Amino acid sequence: MRKDIDHVLISEEELQKRVAELGAQISADYAGRCPLLVSVLRGSYIFMADLSRQVQPFCQVDFMAVSSYGSGTVSSGQVNIVKDLSDSIEGKDIIVVEDILDSGNTLHYLFQVLQARHPASLKLCTLLDKPSRRTKPITADYVGFEVPDKFVVGYGLDYDELYRNLPYIGVLKPCVYEKSGE
Ligand code: IMP
Ligand code: MG
């Protein structure tokens, strides 16, 4: 698997340090409240597990799954809700936890859906931000790292459902997806 990675962009140690900082910031911003962290599956599952353990004293978690990519490296633009939240979010303080904000298609759509359910507040926390590729007017309230326009994998992010279990964020060698005809 390591041979498919061009280089490590963000190490395990850097990830843990930054996630702790984000958790501390969210804990301070939501002092006296109990935010509901909404993880967008599957890419944010590891970030969600680490971040939620850094939010003090209370938070709740729920999960949603959307699909927009198929097996390629460029968003299809078409977003589908594959799994919806388990509970109502009306009147709750919601923080959407996402792996990467790329074109913004997915979150633009998701925010419309969630806003229509009347939460008390709705914020976005993304581990990675690729602002150079944005086509929709979406900005995150909390950003872990800004990344260049390269396809990255690891720490939950996949290519064709692989590499999610890498403990770091790495840049995938283009030959991996070029050879599969993407
Ligand atoms: P967007 O709709 O273009 O903003 O894409 C958002 C989703 O695409 C993310 O939640 C990821 O699942 C996926 N994605 C975008 N860029 C990358 C990448 O570099 N590596 C892995 N997944 C990516
Ligand atoms: Mg994905």
Side-chain angles (χ1 to χ4, degrees), residues 1 11 86 119 123 126 128 148 153:
M1 182 150 66
S11 70
S86 299
K123 301 278 187 197
T126 187
L128 306 178
V153 293

Side-chain angles (χ1 to χ4, degrees), residues 145-167:
F145 301 88
E146 203 171 287
V147 294
D149 184 10
K150 300 267 196 262
F151 199 81
V152 293
V153 293
Y155 196 70
L157 289 102
D158 74 305
Y159 168 68
D160 211 3
E161 294 308 326
L162 297 176
Y163 311 101
R164 292 193 196 275
N165 55 335
L166 287 172

Side-chain angles (χ1 to χ4, degrees), residues 40-44 66 68-69 73-75 77 79 98-107 128 130 133-134 147-148 150-153 157-159 164:
V40 186
L41 295 171
R42 282 169 263 181
S44 71
V66 298
S68 66
Y69 262 64
T73 60
V74 177
S75 175
V79 184
E98 177 59 307
D99 56 352
I100 184 166
L101 183 51
D102 189 33
S103 71
N105 269 329
T106 309
L107 287 165
L128 306 178
K130 253 191 221 176
R133 286 176 43 95
R134 198 83 83 252
V147 294
K150 300 267 196 262
F151 199 81
V152 293
V153 293
L157 289 102
D158 74 305
Y159 168 68
R164 292 193 196 275

